[in-house]
Amino acid sequence: MNPIRNAIAALGTDLGPDILGQCRALFDAEQVALAAVVPVSQADIAYGPDIRHRLDLYAPQGDAPAPILVFVHGGGFLKGDKGSADAWPNANVGRMAAQAGFLGVVINYRLAPDHGWPAGAEDVAAVVAWLKDNAAEHGGDPDRIVLMGTSAGAVHVAGYLKLAGADAVRAAVLLSGLYGYTPLDQRDTLYYGDPALYPERMPLEAVASTDLPLLIACAEFDPPRFQAEFLSLLQDRLARHGAMPRAFIQSGHNHYSMAMHLGTADRRLADEICAFVRETTA
């Protein structure tokens, strides 16, 4: 049996700092090695006025202009970071993108409770606007942008579709997100505000109705609420569009390891994401 899979299975579906730390330890050696091979090309570029409005670029090896994969980290709306040379989580997704021949973009965004709804979606929109103006200078094709987020990051990508529509991007990848099919968690009111406002603020309608190509994924050991959201979105898309979107259940992984393992020898989800990016930006 795979020791990493066994370790993740033993952690169950719980969330918390201890689980997060144990997941990071499982991938640390591989990700440190990847960081040595694929360093950041340009770090801490300002895409807006706030101190959190920063992005890192991971340039592709290959012909320019390349498709662009933008990654929006998770953190329950309250925390999270794009990573750095010394801190690989989330930066690993940019490195995976660069290895695949894309311009990898990993962003920070404003956090709750200081910045509530729709700050996350606004920040994704600001990144897209910055890329439209500047990506060509860094080897990216501004007409071939794919957005990708995990957990709260997936909510912000979905929120971007609600805020700005789909005209400026080619596709979206949503990992383990909460779109509005399950009741609001009390903690999430720090971002969404008054629970009475949740029905109008959640991104459910946008992500269910959009014609933008979607890749929706969840993990075998995601908490039940995240799995319910995944299944509900698939069912809703089937009812509305007559077909499910592209979807993937990542066996042997949990809520944290979904993004953390990208760039390692476990290529199943990475291959699915990279194939999706290539197909939607061809």
Side-chain angles (χ1 to χ4, degrees):
M1 292 290 289
N2 184 310
I4 290 180
R5 180 190 177 94
N6 290 347
I8 290 173
L11 294 174
T13 61
D14 291 340
L15 302 178
D18 182 57
I19 304 293
L20 180 64
Q22 291 184 64
C23 287
R24 174 173 176 164
L26 291 172
F27 305 106
D28 201 52
E30 278 189 278
Q31 295 292 10
V32 168
L34 178 63
V37 175
V38 187
V40 66
S41 302
Q42 201 162 343
D44 294 320
I45 298 173
Y47 68 86
D50 193 87
I51 190 64
R52 290 280 302 181
H53 287 148
R54 298 293 183 271
L55 60 83
D56 293 347
L57 299 178
Y58 296 84
Q61 299 295 316
D63 296 333
I68 301 169
L69 181 62
V70 179
F71 182 64
V72 187
H73 67 72
F77 303 115
L78 306 176
K79 57 188 176 181
D81 188 81
K82 60 185 172 52
S84 65
D86 300 320
W88 61 261
N90 300 314
N92 63 298
V93 183
R95 296 185 175 109
M96 176 207 76
Q99 281 197 319
F102 314 141
L103 176 62
V105 182
V106 187
I107 76 165
N108 278 349
Y109 52 85
R110 291 171 295 167
L111 301 172
D114 294 337
H115 301 279
W117 182 93
E122 290 173 342
D123 290 354
V124 174
V127 169
V128 171
W130 186 91
L131 288 168
K132 290 291 184 182
D133 290 338
N134 298 282
E137 300 171 24
H138 302 280
D141 184 343
D143 293 326
R144 294 193 290 165
I145 299 171
V146 176
L147 300 175
M148 172 177 164
T150 189
S151 194
V155 176
H156 292 327
V157 170
Y160 166 84
L161 299 180
K162 176 181 175 67
L163 175 75
D167 292 343
V169 300
R170 287 290 190 94
V173 180
L174 305 172
L175 309 181
S176 301
L178 300 172
Y179 314 106
Y181 293 96
T182 58
L184 182 69
D185 187 277
Q186 181 63 33
R187 165 187 163 132
D188 295 341
T189 61
L190 293 171
Y191 179 67
Y192 279 110
D194 185 337
L197 298 172
Y198 183 50
E200 66 186 68
R201 292 184 168 184
M202 65 187 181
L204 185 156
E205 181 61 31
V207 78
S209 63
T210 184
D211 291 326
L212 190 74
L214 300 176
L215 169 58
I216 303 164
C218 78
E220 179 182 0
F221 300 108
D222 252 323
R225 182 187 177 198
F226 290 85
Q227 297 197 22
E229 290 269 350
F230 170 79
L231 293 172
S232 296
L233 180 53
L234 294 190
Q235 183 65 48
D236 196 359
R237 295 281 308 187
L238 176 61
R240 295 178 187 229
H241 299 268
M244 291 193 302
R246 192 156 174 171
F248 194 82
I249 299 173
Q250 177 69 322
S251 63
H253 283 280
N254 65 20
H255 191 71
Y256 298 125
S257 69
M258 279 287 276
M260 273 190 173
H261 85 281
L262 293 172
T264 70
D266 184 350
R267 292 284 315 175
R268 295 171 295 158
L269 180 58
D271 286 346
E272 189 74 19
I273 291 168
C274 293
F276 178 72
V277 173
R278 291 186 186 101
E279 290 167 20
T280 55
T281 61

